[in-house]
Amino acid sequence: MLLLVLVLLAAGSPGLACSESFLQWSCYTVQPGDFLFAVAQKLGVNPNKLCDYNNATLLSLGGDCNHLQAGYQLRVPLDQCTPTSAYDCHTIITPNMSVAVLAESIYKMNSDVLFKLNADVLYGDKFVYLGMQIRIPVFTCTPSVSTACYVAQAGDDLYSMASKFAVNAGSLFYANFDRINPLHAITLGRVYVVPLDCSNQPGQYFCYKVRSGDTVNALGSRFGIDPNVLCKYNQLSNCSQIRTEDFALKIPIHI
């Protein structure tokens, strides 16, 4: 009887051979009825990553990630998040949400940016799981000669912001591709980078906000400039048609 007990302990010991590693993994003892996906959800870990962490050991015990036996100890990767100046840490409270929905609907940002920032946590998966900790970028802006910074106010949208600064809406979008979702949603209180497509240069040119009905010929006549010169000065691809509402022209001085 004693020999049988010793044999059972020896046979079971590899499954219990898990010692915690500081800042790398903790240990979890498999309970009756546990399966890997449920364990991963309970612990807030990507199931594929949990499997890879333990697959070699499980195979050596005659099991695998799809067949856990009670008493096995699993190494659980510690995907703990520490806030920095570049990102905050958020805990997922909604189970099985796609990264795309999380980024674009919840955080109003580019999903590729969120995915790359959390590549080690997501482990190639396109979903986040309940309890998982992820990094959310802290969006910043540094004013310069070519950029301004603007904090979004109530009622702002991409085009109204572009209009405020007399810049092209497309340029504004691409300057903020990381913090604007595909629907061009603007988030109240978030700081945005404003590319200064046109900023007044005393003695060289001033900026004119294009309005509905404006044409290159009409503006040339208004400001006393040859329309062809005005067209070339602004590198317009189509001199017979200029964009309105989201475009500013440079009006040269003394040409």
Side-chain angles (χ1 to χ4, degrees):
M1 185 67 169
L2 179 60
L3 179 61
L4 177 60
V5 171
L6 291 175
V7 169
L8 288 174
L9 287 174
S13 60
L16 299 175
C18 174
S19 56
E20 296 190 356
S21 177
F22 182 64
L23 296 181
Q24 294 187 50
W25 67 77
S26 60
C27 299
Y28 173 80
T29 302
V30 176
Q31 304 300 311
D34 272 347
F35 59 96
L36 188 122
F37 189 84
V39 171
Q41 283 194 309
K42 178 164 60 176
L43 300 175
V45 179
N46 181 279
N48 295 323
K49 189 170 186 176
L50 183 61
C51 178
D52 280 358
Y53 255 61
N54 295 279
N55 198 39
T57 300
L58 292 174
L59 288 174
S60 71
L61 296 171
D64 57 45
C65 292
N66 296 318
H67 300 88
L68 301 181
Q69 294 186 23
Y72 280 178
Q73 279 207 330
L74 301 177
R75 292 193 306 173
V76 181
L78 295 176
D79 291 327
Q80 294 181 341
C81 179
T82 302
T84 70
S85 59
Y87 57 79
D88 288 326
C89 299
H90 292 206
T91 301
I92 300 300
I93 60 174
T94 303
N96 305 338
M97 179 181 290
S98 74
V99 176
V101 170
L102 181 71
E104 296 167 8
S105 298
I106 305 301
Y107 293 110
K108 303 294 191 300
M109 60 173 290
N110 183 287
S111 59
D112 288 339
V113 172
L114 185 64
F115 186 84
K116 290 177 182 178
L117 185 60
N118 292 279
D120 59 324
V121 177
L122 296 172
Y123 213 63
D125 205 338
K126 296 296 185 180
F127 287 83
V128 292
Y129 301 95
L130 187 67
M132 181 181 288
Q133 284 197 324
I134 61 169
R135 307 176 187 97
I136 303 299
V138 174
F139 299 114
T140 59
C141 175
T142 302
S144 68
V145 174
S146 59
T147 59
C149 300
Y150 175 72
V151 177
Q153 308 297 312
D156 278 338
D157 59 35
L158 184 70
Y159 294 95
S160 67
M161 285 169 54
S163 180
K164 284 180 181 180
F165 288 90
V167 299
N168 179 271
S171 298
L172 183 62
F173 174 77
Y174 287 111
N176 296 279
F177 79 96
D178 57 340
R179 63 198 74 185
I180 297 180
N181 70 6
L183 297 178
H184 298 177
I186 299 299
T187 303
L188 179 66
R190 178 172 291 175
V191 63
Y192 291 90
V193 178
V194 181
L196 299 177
D197 292 344
C198 185
S199 55
N200 293 322
Q201 295 292 324
Q204 298 182 41
Y205 61 81
F206 63 91
C207 299
Y208 171 79
K209 178 71 176 63
V210 176
R211 293 170 175 80
S212 179
D214 281 340
T215 65
V216 172
N217 286 338
L219 292 176
S221 176
R222 176 177 174 180
F223 294 111
I225 300 170
D226 186 310
N228 292 322
V229 172
L230 185 61
C231 182
K232 291 180 181 179
Y233 197 84
N234 286 276
Q235 299 180 337
L236 299 177
S237 58
N238 185 353
C239 295
S240 63
Q241 184 178 7
I242 52 178
R243 290 166 291 182
T244 59
E245 304 306 323
D246 65 345
F247 194 69
L249 287 179
K250 298 174 183 178
I251 308 299
I253 301 172
H254 304 311
I255 287 185

